Structures are given as structure tokens and as C-alpha cells.
Amino acid sequence: MTWRVLAVDDEPINLEIISETLLDNQCQVELATDGEEAWHRLDTDEAYDLVILDRMMPRMDGLALLRRLKADGRFRRLPVIMQTAASTPEQVRQGIEAGAYYYLTKPYDPRALLAIVRAAIVEIAEHRRAERAETGIAALELAVRGVFRFRNLDQARALANLLAGICPDPAMAAIGLNELLINAVEHGNLGITYQEKLQLRLDNRWEEEVARRLEAAQWRDRTVEVSFEHDDDGIEFVIADQGDGFDATAYLDFDPARACDPNGRGIAMARQLSFSDLQYRGKGNVAVASVRVED
């Protein structure tokens, strides 16, 4: 599949770097030199998969364009990578709050750009699978509680989409459930640390390493257990892995210090977009996520 990317920057050299970096990576890159031109392209052609957006530009700057995009229902879920020389924690926080969950600071390493784009594309694919998830699962909708076990990423994705079908907004619930269930496999059962995943993403070896660990004797017998309970007030999901646990406190919110990394935003995205409440219990290997059912 080819991904349509709109790169927006008033500096030709940056557009050239982006185009050359993504040329052989399943991306069709189209260019705009300021926010006004980018908005016109998006407004007349909604079929872009990703926007790489410079912050400092004439006419309409990147932050103004980002806020316009996220206020428009057509583009609310369109991933945006913000690239800028303005990289103080407050400036990065402004971009995150406006909806830029991916960040690159200038000057940047093309390898870092490629890793961020790959990470965004993986999440785009996950979100689209979520939007196509079955929502009319009559038997599961009648259940008041249930328990499931799985061990690999394909099973995690399938189960996330299945369970999302009992939620008021299946597509948004599936985004969060995907993040939590995949996190339980890779960071929980397989023990892949944040720094390890960062390096694996930069080297484009993450999927290879996950597959290797799933078959290794040390980890292959580990499973994740997911239970849910459904009542008149909402749905509570409990996701328990067999790993050593971790301190989730730093990951419940977007951290500007990690904004430029190709990983580390999944738990915060799940908490912000999908659930009314998300907590980690025990030693950090049990996630409890709640979805409130509105009257």
C-alpha cells in the first residue's frame, strides 16, 4: 500500500530531505510551502494519510493549521508530525495539546524522520482496522462479564477490535484497547524496555525482535489475560500481563521530553482518547480501563 503524505514547510531544502527520505518507503509525498496552501489541498482532497508540518511559516503557521485541522471533523484523526526548531518543553507542549502526537526538532536526522513516519503509519493502520471493527456482535453485547487470554500481537489486535464492539464508540475504544493490549505483550510479557523499543524503531527491527521473543523459551509461555464487566454505568476492562511490571506514572500523560521519540505515546493516547479512566495497579502489570456509558 502507498501512503499519501503532505509535507508542509517554507524551506525548500527541508521539503527535499523529506521527499528523498520517504521516496522508497511506500510513501507518495506531496508538498506545500505554507499553511494556507496546505489547508487548500486538504480542504479539496481529504485523502491524505499523514501530514508533516513545519511550525514556523508565513501566512498561516503550523500551529494555526493544526488547530484548524483538529477542529474539523474530517481531520480530527489525521496524524500530524510537527517539525520545528522551536523545541522548548512549553513549545512542544503547545503542539501536543493542539493535536500533534508526533514531534521532530530541526535539524533532524533523516533516520529519526523515517522512524517517526513508520510509527505513525503503524498507528494509522491500527486505527483504520478499528474503524472497520464489527460493532454488531450481539452475543458479546449481551454478556455482563467475560475473560480472554492471548499471547501475540495479531491476537491482541483481533481481541481489541472484538471488545471495542461493546463500547459506545467502538472506533475510539479500539484505539485505546489496541494500545493497552499490544503494550501488555511487548513491554509486559516480552520485557522490551522503552529504550530498547526506541532503538529497534530507529533500526526498523521492532517487529523482527517481537517475533523472536515470542518464540524464545524465556517468554513463549506467557499470556495476557483480559477480563471485562459491563453494567448500567459502563464497562471496565482489566488487562493483566505476566511481566515484571513498571512505573506507569510517567506515561499516563504526553511528556514533551519524549515527544520526538517514535514510541512512548500509546498509554497517554489511550487515556486521552478512549477511556474515562485508566489506572495501573499492583507492580504496574495490571491496567484497568473504564468506558462510561452516557444516558
Side-chain angles (χ1 to χ4, degrees), residues 72-202:
D72 189 313
R74 294 174 297 167
F75 307 114
R76 198 161 293 146
R77 295 177 186 169
L78 177 65
V80 174
I81 298 173
M82 181 76 83
Q83 50 151 351
T84 182
S87 57
T88 68
E90 181 56 33
Q91 290 165 325
V92 173
R93 186 175 290 107
Q94 287 176 347
I96 291 171
E97 289 174 351
Y101 299 143
Y102 308 88
Y103 228 92
L104 275 168
T105 55
K106 297 178 180 179
Y108 54 78
D109 181 349
R111 189 176 71 146
L113 167 65
L114 193 53
I116 286 282
V117 169
R118 285 178 180 145
I121 285 172
V122 167
E123 292 183 11
I124 296 165
E126 296 292 349
H127 296 177
R128 290 187 178 169
R129 273 193 288 268
E131 290 170 357
R132 294 193 298 268
E134 288 287 338
T135 59
I137 310 165
L140 196 58
E141 289 174 343
L142 294 173
V144 295
R145 64 184 60 88
V147 179
F148 302 84
R149 289 191 181 92
F150 69 94
R151 64 176 300 272
N152 63 44
L153 299 188
D154 287 340
Q155 293 167 342
R157 295 179 181 114
L159 181 57
N161 290 342
L162 177 73
L163 292 173
I166 66 175
C167 297
D169 186 341
M172 293 308 292
I175 290 171
L177 287 167
N178 264 287
E179 296 290 353
L180 298 186
L181 270 58
I182 289 172
N183 187 72
V185 174
E186 61 176 8
H187 293 306
N189 284 352
L190 301 183
I192 298 174
T193 67
Y194 182 93
Q195 288 301 321
E196 285 175 329
K197 184 171 182 180
L198 173 59
Q199 192 60 52
L200 289 166
R201 283 290 199 192
L202 290 172

Side-chain angles (χ1 to χ4, degrees), residues 6 8 32-43 53 65:
L6 178 61
V8 190
T33 56
D34 59 46
E36 289 284 359
E37 181 185 353
W39 174 253
H40 176 72
R41 283 177 173 270
L42 288 158
D43 192 36
L53 179 61
L65 176 59

